[in-house]
Amino acid sequence: MDLTTLLVHGGENPEDGFGDLAPPIHLSSTYAQADPERFGPYDYSRSGNPTRAALEESIAALEGGARGLAFASGMAAIASTLLLFSPGDHIVACRDLYGGAYRVLTTLFARWGLATSFVDITDLDAVKGAVTADTKALYVESPSNPLLAVADLAGLAALARERGLVSIIDNTFMTPLLQRPIPLGFDIVLHSATKFLGGHSDLVAGLAVTADAATGRRLAGIQNAFGAVLSPQDSWLLLRGMRTLAVRLGAEQATAAVLAHWLAARPEVARVHYPGLPDHPGHDVQARQADGPGAVLSFELHNPEAARAFMRGLRLIKLAVSLGGVESILSYPATMSHAAMPPAERAARGISDALVRLSVGLESAADLQADLDRALTAGGQAGRLDTSPPGP
């Protein structure tokens, strides 16, 4: 069945006898049992809930996995997945990584005894060189956040299998509509479902999908023990949002491509990071392994003063944390998504203070371009004394 059809019909239960087109919301926290030794499918909603189960079955089908799990946030999904490992284990992670993931790896899990090496995952030799006898997992994003670096997913998955590593990928930017890492060989797929899957900036949620049932059971046990579960109401909202993902993301991606090409020609813009541009280093790999470049791009102005003036000049596009909503959202990684990363670490990864990230929404391309044009003019005036491009 086509993914667009699966998205529309996810969560349906034709055997419930009522014919609901919208999945019901089961708000009960507990469930009556007919026998004290033989429970029904649900006993307590931390352990399982019918509305959450409908969502979990839907995302598992969309990703081509064996088990789906819905968490209270994207970070809850990431942290719970990291609890599959033990003190003394080592993880190889991409250096261009969401700031919240960097923070939890370098603080909470580092104190707990989990070691992490951050490498350029577009370089398979660099990944191989970072693997040690203690390495247990490979954790990546592709395209990465916020520089949209693209890795060879099939190559990374093959390397992980060869070395006996668990391969984990954050698929938030792409969603299963555009990229399905499990058929490419990955073991666990993560999502901040707050973003494109929810799509309306009205919920916070995380998802994990495992390629095999055994890993799914282990992760479900961790979730149940720590209680990082998604509420029935938010599960229902997320299912509703996912039903329109194909039309939303399709339109957003088309506009993002228009804006990326337009921004690349602007003199106020030093560099555009978008896999849909022919000169992007990962353009060919992205075209081979995904069904599009997505609706997120980032770009650099000539200096931080120009970037800040540009952001202050926006009127239609909203300056906010997050992405993937129906409205266009511009974020400043230095103070938002990557604020937890020390300045020196950001600079070493090429995340400059002149970089901004744009998640393209459903507004008309002409209106968005007009807003960007006005703000870029303001930014260009603020940065006119120094138009040298930012460092690498």
Side-chain angles (χ1 to χ4, degrees), residues 230-362:
L230 191 62
S231 73
Q233 178 72 35
D234 285 341
S235 296
W236 185 87
L237 280 172
L238 182 49
L239 276 168
R240 185 175 69 167
M242 287 164 60
R243 289 187 169 196
T244 60
L245 176 65
V247 290
R248 285 188 289 105
L249 187 50
E252 290 161 351
Q253 179 175 249
T255 302
V258 171
L259 295 179
H261 283 85
W262 178 79
L263 286 164
R266 292 288 301 221
E268 303 93 339
V269 176
R271 188 175 299 124
V272 178
H273 306 277
Y274 184 62
L277 293 176
D279 61 352
H280 187 281
H283 173 79
D284 293 341
V285 176
Q286 182 73 6
R288 183 176 72 242
Q289 68 189 16
D291 292 324
V296 178
L297 57 103
S298 63
F299 55 97
E300 298 171 62
L301 284 84
H302 289 286
N303 54 56
E305 292 73 24
R308 288 188 281 269
F310 161 75
M311 288 182 278
R312 293 186 180 110
L314 294 170
R315 296 294 179 267
L316 178 62
I317 298 169
K318 305 306 179 188
L319 180 64
V321 175
S322 199
L323 58 98
V326 294
E327 62 285 303
S328 292
I329 296 174
L330 188 125
S331 294
Y332 189 37
T335 62
M336 293 181 175
S337 62
H338 290 70
M341 189 176 286
E345 293 290 345
R346 289 199 305 269
R349 289 159 169 78
I351 305 171
S352 77
D353 286 356
L355 178 77
V356 296
R357 188 191 70 199
L358 176 62
S359 171
V360 178
L362 291 176

Side-chain angles (χ1 to χ4, degrees), residues 63 153 157 169 171 175-176 179-189:
E63 287 286 7
L153 297 185
I169 182 170
N171 202 30
T175 82
Q179 182 170 275
R180 300 179 82 209
I182 287 176
L184 292 174
F186 270 77
D187 298 311
I188 301 174
V189 177

